[in-house]
Amino acid sequence: MWMLLLGQGAQSAGNLLTTDERAWLNAHPDISLTMWDDYAPISFHGENGKLQGFMPDYIELLESKLNYKFKLVVPTKEESLSNGKRGAREDVISLLADTQDRRVYWNFTPTLLSFPLNIVTRNDAPKDMTLSQINNMKLSVVQGYASQEFVQENYPQIKLDLVNNTCQGLQHVAFHESFAMLTDLPVASWCLKTQGLINIKVAGKSEFKYEMSLAVRNDWPILFNIIKKGMKAVTKSERQVLHNRWLDQDAFEQSWMYSNRVWLIALVLFLLLSALIRVYVWDSNMQSNVLQRMTNVSDDDKELEHISEASSGLTPRILILLCIILTLLGTLITTEQWVSHQDRILLGILVAALMLMMLFGGYKLGSIRRNEENESLFEQLASQVKTRQTAEKIAKEQTLRLFKQQKAIQTLTQTQTKENIEEIFKEIAQVSAETLNVERVGIWLLDSDKQMLECVDLYLKTKSLHTTANPLLAKELPTYFQFISQNRVLAANDIMLHPATVEFRQGYAQENNIGAMLDGSIWLNGNMIGTVCCEHIGNPREWTLDEQGFVGSICDVVRLTIETDRRHQAEQALLQHSEELEVMVEARTLSLQESEQRLTSVIKYAPIPILTIKMDGEIIEFNPEAERVTGFSRSEAIGKNFIDIFVVKESFKKAIAIGIGTKRGEAFRNVELIFKCADGRKIEFECSIVKAGKNGGSDVGQMIAIGQDITQKKVLQASLIKARESAESADRIKSMFVASMSHELRTPLNSIIGFLGVVLQGMSGDLNIKQKDQLGRAYHSAKHLLSLISDVIDISKIEAGFLEIHTESFALKPMFNEVVNVIHHIADGKHLNLHIDCSEDIVLETDRKRLYQAILNVVSNAVKYTEAGSVTVEAKIINEELIITTQDTGIGISPSGLEQLFKPFERAESHLKIKTLGTGLGLYLTRKILTQLLGGSIEVESQVGVGSTFTIRVPVKISEQTLLNNQSILEDQPL
Amino acid sequence: MTTALIIEDNENNLELIRFILEQSQYKTRFAMTGLEGVQQALTMPPDFVILDIQLPDINGLEVLKRIRAHPVGKDIPIIAMTSYAMSGDKEKLLAAGCTAYIEKPIDPILVIGQIQKAIAR
C-alpha cells in the first residue's frame, strides 16, 4: 500500500512542475530545510538518533512528490530560540506557526496542522477552566513558541513559567512548580505517554490555536509555488495515515490509562462470566451423565469420566472460544491507529452486545437443565466424586508402597551374589524392616528335628542393630507351629486377638511390646523350613494385602538364598572332590606306570618262558627265557605266527580254543602244549593261559601263555607210573598169595578142628577124662590158630585196601542175639548180668558182617574182662548214626593202658592176662574196621577198678520203618 | 533113607562131614570135583547136596548154577559149606539158589541141626 502510494507520487512528479520550476530546482540542489528535533511527536529525535515523527514522514512524502531531496538542518538551541527570524542557512522551515512577526521573513503555505491550545492541569484542579481563571498563577509555556506571544499579549496578569519544551512544562505542572500549562494536545499527549505522568488532565480550552504551515523564504517565490504544488499533491488519505500514526490526541481526552483500564475490566468480567457459563453447562452435562450412569450400572468410573469429558458442552466451549476471539478482535481493532474514535466506540458496543447475548444464552442453557431432581443427583455425584478421590488417594499410597516393596525385592535379589549367607540374611531382615516400616524383623529356620525355630538374624530398626533370640520350641508353641506349617502368611493385626498368636500374648509380646505380627513361612521342596517374622511395636496394625504379599516374597528370597547357599556348598564339595579325584588319578597313573615297569622286568627276568600272542596267533611278546628254551631269538619270534613255533597243529588249536573260552583276566592252568625248538627238538610245556585282551570276549584280544618245560618231568612221570604199576602187580601177587594162603592154611585147620570136635563129642566112642582134657586143649588151640589167621588176613586185606564193603539192609536186634549166642556161656559162667538194650524195630543199612565183627569183639572183650557185675549194651540211632555203648563193671584200663589199647598184640595188663584168650589183634582190627571200612569211630572211657565204656559210632542209612517206629516211640513216651 | 551128595575135594573134610552125616543116619555119596558133582546130582538126584565152594575144576558157585539150571536139580536143597568166605560170597550163593550156608570150621553138633533146618524148607 505504501509502495503503491509512493510510486504514484513519483509518477505524477513529472507533470507537477513546469520546466522552469524543474530547471530552477536543478539549479538549486542544496535547499536547506529546517526540522525541529524537540517537538514530539511532530518532529523529534528517535531512539536510533534519526529524526522521526509526523513532519519527517510528511517531508519525505513531499520530497517524493517533488522528486527532490532537501538538505535537512536541525537548529541548535540558540537557533531554535530565535525561531521566527530567518537565519543565514535557512531556506525552508518545516513547520512554523503563522504570526505577524514571522511574515517579515517568510511566506506561509496553507495551514498544514491546526492544534487548539488547551489548559492542562493536575487532576485535582477544577474542570472547565479558562485562561482568565489562572490570573496570578503560574502558567507554563514553551519559550519562543507562539503560545508565549499569545499569553503575553492577551493575559498580562498570568505569571509565565518559561520551559524549554512541552515535556518539561508538563513535569512542572505534575510536580506543583506551576499550576497549568498552555499547550497543544498531540505534543502533550506524547509527553504523558513517554514520561508516564498520570495526574495530568485537560482542564479547559483557550481561545488560541496553533495554525502551523511550511515557511518559505519570501525572496524565493518560485520555491514557494513549487512547495505549494507538492503539498497539494499529497492526498487526504495519505495525510490521514500520518495523522493516525503520530497524532493521538484522543487518547489524551479521556486519559489513555483510564480507557485501557476499562477494557481490562471488561475483559476480566467477560472471562469470569464465561467461566460461570462453563460451570453451568458442565453441571448440566454431568447431570445428564449421572442419569445415564444410573440406568447403566455396569459402567465404571473411568468410562463415566470419559463420557463426561467428551460431552461436557461442545456448545459452551465454542461460545467461550468465540467470546475470547471476539474480545481479542475488539481489542486489536480499537488499538489500531487508523481506527477513528467513533469507530472504536461502535466496535466496543458491538462486542459488549455480543458478549451479553452469549452470556444470556449460556446462562439460559444452564438454567434450563437445572431443576430439583438434578440437584439430588448432583449431591450423589458429589459424594461419588469424594469417594473416588479417597479411593484414588489410597490407590496412590498403595502404588507407592508397592514400588518400595518392588525395589526392596530387587535389592535383595542383587545381594544374592554375596558369599556369606549370614550377611544376606542380615540384609534381608534390614530391608524388610525398612520397607514394611516395622520395628523387629527376624528370620527363623527350623532345625533338622523340626522341633524348634532357630533365629539366624533379628534386626531392630530404631537401634539399627542385628541381634539374635532364643529358639522357639514347637512343644511350647504348638498352635503357632501348626498355623505356619499350614499357611503361607500369618497376618495378626492384633496379637491379642489373632487365634494363632495365643501363645505369644503373655510373655513374648508383652516383653517386647508387640502389637501386631506379620509372619511368612519359608517353604522348600514342599516342606516348611522357617519363618520371617515382622513385629510391629505398640498398637495393633492392619496389614494390607500387598504387605502380606511382600512378606511372602521375602520368604521366597530367603528360600532362594538357602538354595543358592546349598548349591554353592555342593559345588564346592564337588570341586574338592574332583580335585581329590585328580590327585588320585595322578597317583594311580604313577602306580600303574610303576606296575607296568615291574611287570616288564618280571617278564624279562622270569625263569620261565612267557609269550604274549594275539588271538589270531601272532606273537607280540617273547621273553629271554623263552628265547633260551626254544632257541628262537626274540626278533625271530616276534611277528611270526604261533603255529610256526608249534609242531603239533592240535596244540595250537587247543590253545586258541582255551583262549576264546577263557574270561578276561582268568587263568586256565596246566595246559600241555608241544613246542618245536629251533634245532627241531620237541619240548612239552605246561602252560597257564591268561586272557589279557582289550576287547573282552572278541577274538582280537591278547593271550599270555606262561610256560614251563615239562619234558624232563614227563620222562620222570612215565617212569614213576611204570614203577607204580610194577609195585601194584607185586601187591596183587602178595594179596593173591595171602588169599590163597588163608585158604590153604585154614583147610587143614578146619579138618583138625572138625575131627577134634567129633572125637570130643564122643561120636567115635567114649573118651576118658584125661583124653577129653587133652583133646580139648588141642581143639581150642586149633581154633585160636584159626582166628589168628583170620585176623591177620583181615588186617592185611584192610591195609591193602582189598576188603570190599557189602551194604545190606538188616534188623539190628537179631545181630545182637547172635552176639549173645556166642558169648552168653562165658557170661553165664561168671554169673554176669548181660543186658542188651536194642529196639526190635531198628532196621539199618551197612556192612552187616563187619559191624557184627566189631560189636562181637567189643562185647566179648567186656565180658572177658569183667569178673563180676554187669555188661550193658545199648544201641540207639541219632541223626543217621548208630551209637552202641558197651558199659562193663570190669577191671578198667589205666591211662597208660588206654594209650596202648588199640595197638596190635597189646592187651590190658592184668591178673586176668593168663586166663583170657585172644589174638591180641581184636581191638586193633575193630578200630580198623570201624574207621577205615565203615567210616565210624570207637572211643573208650575207663577207670581202673570201676569199669570201662566203649562207644562205637557208625554212620548208617536208616530204613523208613525205623524212622516211623522211632517216632512212635518218642511219641508214646510219657513226659 | 535120606541121601546126601557131598561135593568136596579135600579128603579129610569129606571124611569128616560123611562121618557126621552117617552118624545121623544119612546115606552119603560123594564127588571130589565140581563137574563130577554136577553129573551125579543130575543123574542120581540126592535128597540134598553139601557143596564145598573151593573146588579144583569149577568152583562151588558154578556147580550151584549148573545144578539149578537143570529141571532135575531145580528143587534139590543145596547147603553151601565154605571156610571163612569173603564178604559177599554168602549173598552170591543165596542169590544163585543156595538153600543154606554153613561156615567152616563146622561144629559137629550144630551142623546137623543146620542141615535138618535147610532140608525142612
Side-chain angles (χ1 to χ4, degrees):
Chain A
M1 184 80 156
W2 283 97
M3 289 303 291
L4 191 67
L5 288 171
L6 284 169
Q8 279 173 347
Q11 255 186 346
S12 57
N15 309 327
L16 205 62
L17 303 176
T18 62
T19 29
D20 289 347
E21 285 166 341
R22 177 56 63 196
W24 189 87
L25 272 181
N26 289 342
H28 297 82
D30 47 3
I31 302 164
S32 69
L33 187 141
T34 304
M35 190 87 82
W36 312 111
D37 67 344
D38 58 348
Y39 194 41
I42 309 302
S43 167
F44 60 99
H45 274 292
E47 285 169 4
N48 53 1
K50 284 173 78 178
L51 285 171
Q52 62 182 57
F54 179 86
M55 264 334 275
D57 286 354
Y58 187 79
I59 294 298
E60 204 180 345
L61 203 59
L62 188 67
E63 281 175 339
S64 71
K65 301 287 183 191
L66 297 172
N67 198 20
Y68 182 80
K69 196 82 181 163
F70 292 102
K71 186 186 170 191
L72 281 178
V73 174
V74 178
T76 61
K77 199 71 198 166
E78 289 75 22
E79 281 169 341
S80 62
L81 283 172
S82 64
N83 63 30
K85 298 172 182 77
R86 184 178 167 265
R89 298 186 293 110
E90 295 162 338
D91 298 320
V92 182
I93 296 172
S94 63
L95 201 63
L96 202 63
D98 186 5
T99 59
Q100 283 302 313
D101 295 347
R102 289 171 181 170
R103 285 185 185 259
V104 181
Y105 307 101
W106 305 101
N107 283 334
F108 286 93
T109 62
T111 309
L112 182 62
L113 287 169
S114 171
F115 294 135
L117 287 171
N118 285 24
I119 302 160
V120 176
T121 63
R122 289 187 297 275
N123 279 345
D124 52 358
K127 279 185 175 179
D128 300 316
M129 290 184 74
T130 58
L131 278 173
S132 53
Q133 288 174 305
I134 313 177
N135 285 345
N136 301 319
M137 283 191 279
K138 269 192 176 176
L139 178 70
S140 295
V141 289
V142 179
Q143 193 178 12
Y145 273 18
S147 52
Q148 184 189 0
E149 202 178 320
F150 293 147
V151 176
Q152 281 174 340
E153 280 178 16
N154 301 306
Y155 298 95
Q157 297 92 343
I158 294 174
K159 294 176 185 173
L160 286 179
D161 171 42
L162 297 173
V163 293
N164 290 331
N165 54 48
T166 312
C167 289
Q168 193 184 11
L170 286 172
Q171 278 178 2
H172 282 197
V173 174
F175 301 138
H176 297 265
E177 285 183 35
S178 66
F179 178 72
M181 178 166 188
L182 190 65
T183 179
D184 55 294
L185 284 181
V187 180
S189 185
W190 183 267
C191 285
L192 288 182
K193 266 186 197 172
T194 55
Q195 304 205 352
L197 301 170
I198 53 166
N199 57 343
I200 302 296
K201 70 170 182 185
V202 179
K205 289 180 179 176
S206 74
E207 58 273 38
F208 309 113
K209 60 177 179 184
Y210 282 145
E211 291 286 348
M212 288 182 286
S213 56
L214 270 71
V216 183
R217 54 193 280 186
N218 51 12
D219 54 344
W220 276 359
I222 188 164
L223 182 61
F224 185 62
N225 282 333
I226 289 167
I227 286 173
K228 275 205 286 189
K229 276 187 180 175
M231 285 176 74
K232 265 187 183 172
V234 175
T235 61
K236 199 182 175 184
S237 68
E238 283 172 333
R239 262 189 66 177
Q240 188 61 48
V241 168
L242 294 183
H243 261 275
N244 291 340
R245 194 190 299 165
W246 295 109
L247 306 175
D248 189 23
Q249 58 188 19
D250 290 337
F252 199 88
E253 278 174 6
Q254 289 195 320
S255 167
W256 71 275
M257 285 295 285
Y258 178 68
S259 74
N260 277 3
R261 200 178 292 153
V262 168
W263 282 110
L264 211 65
I265 290 161
L267 189 66
V268 169
L269 262 168
F270 172 75
L271 286 171
L272 275 167
L273 281 166
S274 57
L276 215 63
I277 295 162
R278 199 222 178 278
V279 168
Y280 281 135
V281 174
W282 186 76
D283 274 1
S284 64
N285 273 302
M286 276 303 262
Q287 279 158 19
S288 71
N289 280 325
V290 169
L291 276 167
Q292 195 183 336
R293 199 189 157 188
M294 294 283 187
T295 53
N296 189 4
V297 191
S298 66
D299 285 349
D300 62 355
D301 280 350
K302 239 178 196 174
E303 211 173 325
L304 170 71
E305 208 166 65
H306 182 70
I307 293 162
S308 115
E309 278 295 320
S311 62
S312 71
L314 188 67
T315 329
R317 281 193 177 182
I318 291 167
L319 279 173
I320 289 157
L321 207 67
L322 275 169
C323 287
I324 292 164
I325 290 165
L326 279 169
T327 314
L328 286 171
L329 206 67
T331 318
L332 268 170
I333 289 165
T334 45
T335 50
E336 275 297 311
Q337 285 175 355
W338 52 266
V339 178
S340 67
H341 184 58
Q342 283 82 4
D343 292 344
R344 286 177 201 179
I345 293 163
L346 270 170
L347 272 167
I349 291 162
L350 193 70
V351 168
L354 272 166
M355 273 162 35
L356 272 169
M357 272 170 69
M358 283 182 283
L359 236 166
F360 182 69
Y363 176 73
K364 205 167 183 191
L365 202 63
S367 65
I368 285 165
R369 302 206 178 162
R370 270 183 81 98
N371 53 43
E372 279 183 17
E373 195 189 318
N374 287 354
E375 263 171 34
S376 72
L377 288 173
F378 188 72
E379 276 166 21
Q380 284 177 17
L381 185 77
S383 75
Q384 277 181 10
V385 167
K386 205 174 175 185
T387 315
R388 197 166 57 193
Q389 278 172 347
T390 319
E392 271 171 14
K393 199 182 164 191
I394 292 164
K396 204 180 262 180
E397 283 171 4
Q398 195 176 358
T399 311
L400 202 69
R401 273 204 310 274
L402 278 172
F403 177 73
K404 260 175 84 178
Q405 289 166 9
Q406 219 167 24
K407 207 168 172 194
I409 297 289
Q410 208 174 351
T411 314
L412 291 177
T413 316
Q414 281 161 1
T415 60
Q416 291 292 322
T417 52
K418 282 189 183 176
E419 288 221 346
N420 192 341
I421 190 163
E422 278 83 23
E423 289 302 314
I424 300 174
F425 283 146
K426 280 182 181 177
E427 178 99 26
I428 290 168
Q430 191 170 345
V431 170
S432 304
E434 278 158 8
T435 308
L436 286 173
N437 192 26
V438 290
E439 176 54 30
R440 294 157 62 91
V441 173
I443 298 172
W444 305 74
L445 294 182
L446 204 62
D447 72 333
S448 53
D449 298 334
K450 303 193 172 182
Q451 286 308 309
M452 59 175 168
L453 284 165
E454 288 166 319
C455 183
V456 294
D457 189 56
L458 177 63
Y459 179 68
L460 306 176
K461 188 160 150 275
T462 45
K463 292 181 184 168
S464 297
L465 179 71
H466 288 281
T467 176
T468 183
N470 292 330
L472 302 175
L473 301 174
K475 58 180 177 184
E476 287 175 12
L477 307 164
T479 317
Y480 176 74
F481 269 71
Q482 197 185 355
F483 192 90
I484 57 165
S485 60
Q486 285 171 357
N487 296 279
R488 291 258 166 192
V489 174
L490 162 58
N493 296 337
D494 188 342
I495 203 164
M496 293 298 167
L497 296 176
H498 200 282
T501 57
V502 68
E503 292 121 348
F504 288 111
R505 284 175 201 166
Q506 290 310 315
Y508 190 75
Q510 280 182 352
E511 278 167 28
N512 298 304
N513 189 27
I514 293 162
M517 270 172 77
L518 179 58
D519 287 15
S521 47
I522 305 158
W523 293 76
L524 182 63
N525 301 330
N527 295 316
M528 198 275 287
I529 57 158
T531 59
V532 173
C533 300
C534 306
E535 294 156 357
H536 179 75
I537 300 295
N539 294 325
R541 166 174 170 175
E542 195 173 327
W543 302 104
T544 60
L545 280 175
D546 58 86
E547 283 168 341
Q548 293 179 25
F550 176 71
V551 167
S553 304
I554 288 297
C555 290
D556 287 341
V557 172
V558 174
R559 172 181 57 80
L560 202 67
T561 307
I562 291 166
E563 276 183 332
T564 310
D565 187 56
R566 285 186 186 172
R567 196 172 53 227
H568 185 69
Q569 282 176 6
E571 277 168 6
Q572 287 292 322
L574 203 67
L575 199 70
Q576 202 183 340
H577 190 70
S578 77
E579 278 168 8
E580 283 170 9
L581 210 65
E582 256 173 56
V583 171
M584 272 168 71
V585 166
E586 212 169 294
R588 193 64 186 268
T589 312
L590 204 69
S591 79
L592 267 174
Q593 284 171 349
E594 284 171 5
S595 163
E596 203 177 305
Q597 278 174 359
R598 272 203 303 277
L599 190 68
T600 312
S601 349
V602 164
I603 289 172
K604 196 172 175 185
Y605 300 111
I608 48 165
I610 297 173
L611 285 90
T612 307
I613 60 163
K614 284 186 181 173
M615 291 303 277
D616 59 4
E618 189 192 334
I619 298 169
I620 54 172
E621 184 57 62
F622 201 76
N623 79 338
E625 182 64 13
E627 284 180 317
R628 194 188 68 76
V629 169
T630 61
F632 288 106
S633 72
R634 186 181 146 87
S635 54
E636 280 173 326
I638 299 260
K640 278 205 184 127
N641 201 294
F642 199 37
I643 198 162
D644 297 333
I645 301 287
F646 280 119
V647 73
V648 181
K649 221 173 189 177
E650 278 65 36
S651 281
F652 173 72
K653 283 182 183 169
K654 194 174 161 188
I656 297 297
I658 287 164
I660 290 167
T662 310
K663 283 180 194 165
R664 190 180 164 195
E666 196 179 75
F668 200 93
R669 295 174 193 284
N670 305 328
V671 184
E672 286 176 13
L673 302 174
I674 300 164
F675 278 77
K676 178 180 74 180
C677 289
D679 56 9
R681 257 186 318 122
K682 284 183 194 170
I683 308 175
E684 276 188 73
F685 268 96
E686 189 180 73
C687 297
S688 288
I689 292 175
V690 184
K691 192 165 195 176
K694 286 170 190 168
N695 295 356
S698 83
D699 56 359
V700 201
Q702 296 177 355
M703 195 165 74
I704 296 171
I706 301 161
Q708 197 178 4
D709 185 353
I710 52 161
T711 318
Q712 293 299 319
K713 193 174 153 188
K714 275 274 172 182
V715 171
L716 201 68
Q717 205 173 28
S719 66
L720 272 173
I721 287 167
K722 212 173 172 182
R724 194 180 72 194
E725 276 170 1
S726 65
E728 273 170 2
S729 78
D731 206 47
R732 266 199 299 277
I733 290 162
K734 187 185 119 191
S735 290
M736 276 166 72
F737 169 76
V738 169
S740 57
M741 267 303 286
S742 70
H743 182 70
E744 295 310 319
L745 281 171
R746 273 184 304 207
T747 304
L749 263 177
N750 280 338
S751 294
I752 293 163
I753 292 162
F755 279 112
L756 282 172
V758 168
V759 174
L760 276 170
Q761 291 295 321
M763 289 165 93
S764 321
D766 292 339
L767 297 170
N768 62 32
I769 295 165
K770 200 125 185 155
Q771 286 169 328
K772 211 170 187 176
D773 174 59
Q774 285 164 351
L775 279 173
R777 287 175 192 272
Y779 177 76
H780 287 295
S781 295
K783 278 201 111 172
H784 186 206
L785 181 62
L786 185 65
S787 61
L788 257 176
I789 289 164
S790 297
D791 282 358
V792 168
I793 291 166
D794 279 349
I795 288 163
S796 66
K797 278 185 179 173
I798 289 168
E799 283 178 350
F802 271 39
L803 214 59
E804 287 172 18
I805 312 275
H806 294 276
T807 307
E808 60 184 303
S809 181
F810 60 94
L812 193 61
K813 181 74 178 174
M815 197 180 79
F816 272 108
N817 291 341
E818 281 178 39
V819 171
V820 171
N821 277 341
V822 173
I823 57 167
H824 77 91
H825 61 278
I826 307 170
D828 290 347
K830 294 181 187 178
H831 305 291
L832 293 177
N833 184 10
L834 180 61
H835 179 68
I836 304 293
D837 183 6
C838 177
S839 170
E840 292 276 354
D841 304 313
I842 296 176
V843 178
L844 44 82
E845 275 181 37
T846 185
D847 191 322
R848 188 183 192 273
K849 184 184 166 95
R850 296 303 166 190
L851 182 64
Y852 171 78
Q853 209 176 348
I855 291 170
L856 179 64
N857 215 324
V858 170
V859 177
S860 65
N861 266 351
V863 173
K864 276 181 203 164
Y865 290 100
T866 305
E867 285 302 302
S870 65
V871 172
T872 307
V873 180
E874 191 189 6
K876 57 188 176 184
I877 288 180
I878 296 169
N879 294 333
E880 296 206 335
E881 191 176 54
L882 175 66
I883 301 168
I884 297 163
T885 48
T886 308
Q887 197 172 5
D888 63 55
T889 55
I891 55 168
I893 308 158
S894 67
S896 61
L898 283 174
E899 282 176 28
Q900 307 293 322
L901 194 63
F902 293 105
K903 289 183 176 172
F905 303 107
E906 290 286 341
R907 275 190 287 182
E909 286 178 27
S910 74
H911 62 285
L912 295 169
K913 205 171 183 175
I914 306 155
K915 274 188 171 181
T916 50
L917 291 170
T919 59
L921 291 170
L923 282 174
Y924 178 69
L925 178 62
T926 301
R927 196 166 83 147
K928 273 204 178 296
I929 289 167
L930 287 169
T931 56
Q932 291 186 14
L933 288 180
L934 303 179
S937 65
I938 181 163
E939 288 163 19
V940 62
E941 284 174 27
S942 186
Q943 210 175 337
V944 177
V946 177
S948 307
T949 304
F950 284 80
T951 307
I952 293 168
R953 293 168 190 272
V954 180
V956 291
K957 259 186 164 179
I958 315 296
S959 298
E960 284 179 17
Q961 198 192 346
T962 314
L963 279 173
L964 286 169
N965 293 331
N966 267 6
Q967 211 163 13
S968 68
I969 288 163
L970 285 169
E971 281 166 4
D972 292 344
Q973 273 177 351
L975 291 167
Chain B
M1 230 173 141
T2 311
T3 307
L5 172 64
I6 305 160
I7 306 171
E8 169 70 71
D9 64 326
N10 184 285
E11 269 181 61
N12 291 328
N13 282 338
L14 178 63
E15 183 53 35
L16 180 63
I17 193 72
R18 204 162 67 94
F19 177 78
I20 292 165
L21 286 173
E22 280 172 1
Q23 282 290 308
S24 302
Q25 309 305 314
Y26 289 105
K27 196 182 171 186
T28 60
R29 291 203 307 264
F30 65 91
M32 291 192 62
T33 66
L35 289 170
E36 192 189 338
V38 173
Q39 195 187 347
Q40 277 203 34
L42 295 178
T43 50
M44 290 181 283
D47 293 308
F48 65 95
V49 178
I50 301 289
L51 176 63
D52 181 33
I53 299 303
Q54 209 81 33
L55 293 169
D57 51 347
I58 54 169
N59 70 23
L61 191 61
E62 190 58 35
V63 173
L64 178 68
K65 282 178 182 171
R66 287 191 188 187
I67 294 168
R68 286 281 182 257
H70 202 275
V72 179
K74 197 174 64 178
D75 294 319
I76 301 168
I78 299 172
I79 299 148
M81 221 179 246
T82 175
S83 65
Y84 195 75
M86 285 184 174
S87 295
D89 283 0
K90 192 181 171 184
E91 286 76 20
K92 281 177 199 166
L93 291 165
L94 290 172
C98 177
T99 313
Y101 178 88
I102 296 166
E103 264 187 33
K104 290 180 186 173
I106 55 166
D107 189 303
I109 297 158
L110 290 175
V111 81
I112 294 302
Q114 288 169 330
I115 289 165
Q116 283 174 345
K117 203 175 167 186
I119 298 165
R121 265 184 216 169

